[in-house]
Each structure stands twice: as structure tokens, then as C-alpha cells.
Amino acid sequence: MISENPRYAREFLEPFLGKKVVIGTSDFHYVSGRAVAFVDGTKLTVLINEKEIMIPVANVETISEVPEIQADYIK
């Protein structure tokens, strides 16, 4: 789990901004989309099929960059 400390979370997540990513969450969901913003040190905004969703940083278990061709989804 990513630390809820906003500074640590920002340092960890900022390299992924603007990139296509897959995110595994603590409630066993997976999200694939473009990471677009880090909001208030507590939420990550992800663009999925032209819709923005916000994921609480506390729920992010894993994040990794994926190829641009990968489909956007929420599972």
C-alpha cells in the first residue's frame, strides 16, 4: 500500500503522471487508464475512456506503466 503521507505518495506517483498505467487497488479492483493528476495529496485522477475517475491514494496497492495499446477498463 502506498503511504498516506502526501509527500511520499506524490514522489511515488508523479513519475506515472501522463502515462498509461494499470492500478491494483486494496479492494481487489484493477483500473487501466492514463494517470493525469495528483489531487490534494490524497487522490489520483485517472482518465478511462474519456472519463475522469478519482482513486484515493490509500487504496492504491500497485501501479505500473503499460503499453499505449492496452484497453482502458475498470474491473
Side-chain angles (χ1 to χ4, degrees):
M1 179 182 295
I2 294 176
S3 171
E4 291 185 44
N5 178 320
R7 182 177 176 188
Y8 176 78
R10 182 180 63 249
E11 289 173 1
F12 183 80
L13 294 172
E14 278 187 343
F16 293 102
L17 295 181
K19 297 179 180 176
K20 187 85 172 232
V21 296
V22 65
I23 300 168
T25 66
S26 58
D27 54 3
F28 304 107
H29 287 87
Y30 288 92
V31 175
S32 178
R34 185 164 310 280
V36 293
F38 185 59
V39 182
D40 299 329
T42 61
K43 295 182 182 97
L44 179 64
T45 303
V46 180
L47 186 63
I48 301 171
N49 295 323
E50 300 180 21
K51 289 185 177 181
E52 286 188 355
I53 66 156
M54 292 187 137
I55 301 172
V57 170
N59 289 5
V60 176
E61 289 289 330
T62 61
I63 184 169
S64 60
E65 191 173 353
V66 295
E68 288 292 325
I69 198 164
Q70 181 162 326
D72 291 352
Y73 61 82
I74 299 174
K75 281 187 177 179

